[in-house]
Amino acid sequence: MGIKLDMVGIVVQDMKKALDFYRVLGFDIPEGANEEPHVEVAQDGVRLAFDTIEVAKGVYGGWEAPVGHRIELAFLCENAAALDALYTKIISHGYESHREPWDAFWGQRYAIVKDPDGNLISLFA
């Protein structure tokens, strides 16, 4: 059962300010994206995504401003069964669940766990 790093998601308070910064770093992001609630850019097979707080509330089932971190790592699983098996394995090793597997409205199976530092790690298929 393999997994692949697919996306790094960043929750932003102000989409334009965030995108302007990443444009300075060299990402090609259309100016028209400034008003979008969700923006993605791909680079070398990995997507960098930016979400407003409102989108984050929908994905996580709520939102609390983080202390010390603002980035999510998301790992693509082979299929829903592989996701469920990996989630069970992680939890059985004593790691904390943030949100049990569910079928998301956008058509994917999704689950969220916490790493030892409390960072949210998403699994999806």
Side-chain angles (χ1 to χ4, degrees):
M1 168 180 18
I3 62 171
K4 174 188 179 288
L5 179 61
D6 181 75
M7 180 184 78
V8 175
I10 302 172
V11 177
V12 302
Q13 291 185 24
D14 183 311
M15 186 65 77
K16 181 185 179 324
K17 286 182 181 178
L19 297 180
D20 284 346
F21 173 79
Y22 285 92
R23 288 179 183 116
V24 170
L25 287 180
F27 285 90
D28 183 20
I29 307 169
E31 291 292 327
N34 290 345
E35 303 302 319
E36 296 295 325
H38 175 84
V39 176
E40 292 183 12
V41 293
Q43 186 177 44
D44 297 329
V46 176
R47 296 176 294 148
L48 182 59
F50 306 90
D51 290 311
T52 62
I53 291 172
E54 292 76 23
V55 169
K57 286 178 182 178
V59 171
Y60 301 131
W63 176 257
E64 293 180 24
V67 176
H69 65 83
R70 294 188 60 87
I71 294 178
E72 163 205 14
L73 296 178
F75 292 94
L76 176 63
C77 298
E78 295 173 22
N79 53 45
L83 181 150
D84 291 348
L86 181 56
Y87 174 87
T88 299
K89 180 179 178 181
I90 291 167
I91 299 308
S92 72
H93 278 82
Y95 295 105
E96 186 178 347
S97 171
H98 179 76
R99 195 158 181 204
E100 293 180 6
W102 84 98
D103 294 320
F105 71 88
W106 55 89
Q108 292 177 313
R109 183 81 171 155
Y110 214 82
I112 305 171
V113 296
K114 291 183 178 180
D115 74 7
D117 295 305
N119 293 308
L120 298 179
I121 306 300
S122 293
L123 309 172
F124 67 99

